[in-house]
Amino acid sequence: SVALKLPHMGWSAGIDRRVARERDILAGLEHPHIARLYEAGVTPEGRPWLAMEYVQGLPLDVYCREQRLDVRQRLALFLQVADAVVYAHSRLVVHRDLKPNNILVTAQAEVRLLDFGVAKLLQDDEDSAQLTRALGCAVTPDYAAPEQVAGQQVTLATDVYALGIVLYETTLGVRAFSGPNEFAVLGKVAKGDYVAPHVIDPEYPAELARIIARAMAPLP
């Protein structure tokens, strides 16, 4: 059994090379907390597809809520996520879209990090850089780093920022950024305008609050 991913995106010139590149990136990532890629390609009509490891689990935030986990138990799951990201970074791969929906937790309390669909090798060649400019980079506003919002260079710090948001939401149980529309959310992201953890929970550990503040600092 596999999870078949058929991206909902415009089919444009160069998409076959982009999918092949994603396949090559993922094929090199072998880690117990990263869902494996088995194969990838493009249909005769030009639609890209990915066959990935099927993971039966719940998104990180849903799992924590349904299991009523305490802070220490939530941190244990978050450390699995961090371990997977550190591994990817050691292979010069940046995820660029870390969020609870891309982090599943199995019944055995094992984390699986999904969807490196917008991953990017830090040491990109000019050909891949042109593909990125041509096809664009999808981001989730609530989890995008300020440099992504500004269209600036993505680095390892971009994932660290997203990990800060994931840590915030995992341990506090609320969204870091919210607003009436996408533009309001992006404005808060750009200014680093989120509610401090101790305002939500006066007993929130100061050490964790300092880690979040450092990870979510507006400047990379």
Side-chain angles (χ1 to χ4, degrees), residues 68-151:
R68 299 182 179 180
L69 303 184
D70 59 29
V71 172
R72 186 172 293 275
Q73 292 170 317
R74 292 170 185 240
L75 283 175
L77 294 176
F78 176 80
L79 288 175
Q80 293 183 40
V81 178
D83 189 51
V85 174
V86 168
Y87 170 83
H89 286 181
S90 73
R91 268 63 181 174
L92 302 182
V93 175
V94 185
H95 188 284
R96 301 205 296 183
D97 195 25
L98 291 168
K99 56 187 177 183
N101 280 349
N102 279 339
I103 303 166
L104 296 186
V105 185
T106 69
Q108 293 73 39
E110 290 287 331
V111 162
R112 293 292 187 280
L113 185 55
L114 311 177
D115 199 357
F116 275 83
V118 293
K120 178 177 182 291
L121 285 176
L122 288 182
Q123 295 178 343
D124 261 341
D125 53 31
E126 181 57 25
D127 180 60
S128 64
Q130 289 176 352
L131 282 176
T132 299
R133 286 194 291 271
L135 298 176
C137 172
V139 297
T140 305
D142 311 41
Y143 301 92
E147 61 268 25
Q148 287 177 293
V149 174

Side-chain angles (χ1 to χ4, degrees), residues 116-191:
F116 275 83
V118 293
K120 178 177 182 291
L121 285 176
L122 288 182
Q123 295 178 343
D124 261 341
D125 53 31
E126 181 57 25
D127 180 60
S128 64
Q130 289 176 352
L131 282 176
T132 299
R133 286 194 291 271
L135 298 176
C137 172
V139 297
T140 305
D142 311 41
Y143 301 92
E147 61 268 25
Q148 287 177 293
V149 174
Q152 298 171 351
Q153 183 179 7
V154 170
T155 68
L156 300 182
T158 304
D159 277 354
V160 173
Y161 180 92
L163 282 174
I165 295 181
V166 173
L167 178 60
Y168 182 104
E169 296 187 2
T170 300
T171 53
L172 287 166
V174 297
R175 302 290 285 271
F177 297 105
S178 61
N181 54 57
E182 180 177 303
F183 294 104
V185 171
L186 291 175
K188 289 186 176 183
V189 170
K191 295 183 293 184

